[in-house]
């Protein structure tokens, strides 16, 4: 059974076919307060991702069965994991190797051997960057969301009017459809704006659509 409690400790997925490097890096990262899950190659790491959702992936490039490039391609193509920052570790330090790694989808490219403190600094920087992006996205979603009291009740006639509003009809056209006066429609729209606290017909239409009234 998966642990569904809120997790404060950041979980990292460390992928490398070198058991000595896995041991050393895992011990150092755990000493710095991270939770570390390991895999020996990209294929094994995909199996891990089916069960775990890490906050960051540290991945070797050259590995048997599935290399880092192929693994990261899978990560980026899957919506569930596409947001996870990826840090590449590689013995290849030429400019073209770094460019290929970054173009493949990695966020950071580090060359082996590296200082443990540098790795931790890159991990922390990537996690902070991801956190800022998620917070910005959340604020944007909140700003555009329509807020209406949950207990708003519309009369049957008001429901018919708002359905027509959501279809983009003007008050005069709604009056013709319902065989009532335009003033009556305007009165219903005004009442609904008062009940919902919305500011205009556009917001009223969005609210109706988002709540499956239209």
């Amino acid at each position: 059974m998966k642990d569904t409690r809120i997790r404060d400790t950041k979980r990292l997925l460390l992928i490398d076919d070198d058991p000595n490097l896995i041991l050393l890096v895992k011990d150092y990262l755990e000493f710095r307060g991270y939770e570390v899950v390991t895999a020996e190659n990209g294929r094994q790491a995909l199996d891990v991702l089916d069960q775990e959702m890490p906050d960051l992936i540290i991945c070797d490039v050259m590995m048997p069965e599935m290399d880092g490039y192929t693994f990261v391609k899978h990560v980026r193509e899957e919506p569930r994991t596409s947001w996870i920052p990826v840090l590449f570790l590689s013995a290849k330090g030429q400019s073209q190797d770094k460019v290929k790694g970054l173009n493949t989808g990695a966020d950071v490219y580090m060359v082996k051997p590296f200082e443990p403190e540098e790795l931790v600094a890159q991990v922390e920087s990537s996690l902070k960057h991801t956190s800022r992006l998620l917070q910005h996205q959340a604020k944007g979603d909140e700003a555009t969301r329509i807020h209406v009291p949950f207990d708003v009740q519309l009369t049957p006639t008001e429901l018919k009017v708002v359905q027509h509003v959501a279809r983009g009809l003007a008050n005069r056209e709604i009056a013709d459809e319902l065989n009532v006066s335009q003033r009556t429609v305007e009165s219903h729209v005004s009442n609904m704006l008062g009940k919902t606290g919305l500011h205009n017909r556009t917001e009223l239409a969005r609210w109706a659509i988002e709540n499956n009234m239209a």
Side-chain angles (χ1 to χ4, degrees):
M1 183 176 175
K2 294 182 182 178
D3 186 355
T4 56
R5 293 173 300 176
I6 295 175
R7 176 167 49 85
D8 292 328
T9 303
K10 295 296 185 183
R11 180 177 295 162
L12 313 180
L13 172 56
L14 174 61
I15 314 161
D16 202 296
D17 62 331
D18 182 346
N20 291 323
L21 185 140
I22 284 277
L23 185 63
L24 290 171
V25 174
K26 183 175 187 291
D27 283 350
Y28 194 83
L29 290 170
E30 287 179 340
F31 175 74
R32 295 299 296 263
Y34 293 103
E35 182 181 338
V36 182
V37 182
T38 63
E40 295 179 0
N41 56 61
R43 193 170 303 282
Q44 191 181 103
L46 289 179
D47 292 336
V48 172
L49 287 177
D50 285 337
Q51 305 296 324
E52 306 273 358
M53 184 57 66
D55 298 287
L56 180 140
I57 297 170
I58 302 172
C59 183
D60 187 22
V61 173
M62 305 308 296
M63 297 179 292
E65 293 195 46
M66 181 184 290
D67 64 16
Y69 298 130
T70 307
F71 168 72
V72 171
K73 187 170 182 290
H74 281 287
V75 169
R76 293 293 178 244
E77 289 176 348
E78 171 59 52
R80 191 176 68 92
T81 59
S82 61
W83 62 272
I84 302 175
V86 176
L87 192 157
F88 260 159
L89 300 178
S90 177
K92 295 184 174 182
Q94 298 295 320
S95 295
Q96 60 265 33
D97 298 316
K98 295 179 181 179
V99 169
K100 181 179 180 181
L102 296 171
N103 285 341
T104 301
D107 299 281
V108 179
Y109 189 104
M110 290 187 63
V111 179
K112 301 176 183 178
F114 51 84
E115 291 294 329
E117 282 295 330
E118 182 187 358
L119 175 62
V120 170
Q122 292 284 12
V123 166
E124 292 178 349
S125 176
S126 295
L127 289 172
K128 287 176 182 175
H129 179 66
T130 302
S131 178
R132 286 194 299 270
L133 288 177
L134 292 174
Q135 288 175 9
H136 178 73
Q137 182 180 9
K139 287 179 180 177
D141 291 343
E142 183 69 19
T144 59
R145 193 173 293 127
I146 293 291
H147 294 280
V148 169
F150 71 93
D151 57 350
V152 169
Q153 296 289 329
L154 300 184
T155 67
T157 304
E158 286 173 345
L159 184 58
K160 290 180 182 178
V161 170
V162 80
Q163 288 171 343
H164 286 82
V165 170
R167 286 170 50 199
L169 273 65
N171 288 346
R172 177 180 49 77
E173 295 170 312
I174 297 173
D176 291 341
E177 288 274 339
L178 300 181
N179 197 28
V180 297
S181 70
Q182 183 173 330
R183 186 176 294 277
T184 299
V185 173
E186 291 170 354
S187 177
H188 284 308
V189 170
S190 178
N191 287 341
M192 285 189 286
L193 291 176
K195 286 181 178 181
T196 59
L198 298 175
H199 301 95
N200 50 53
R201 296 173 90 262
T202 301
E203 288 187 355
L204 198 60
R206 276 188 56 196
W207 174 65
I209 292 169
E210 288 175 4
N211 288 275
N212 299 315
M213 297 179 195

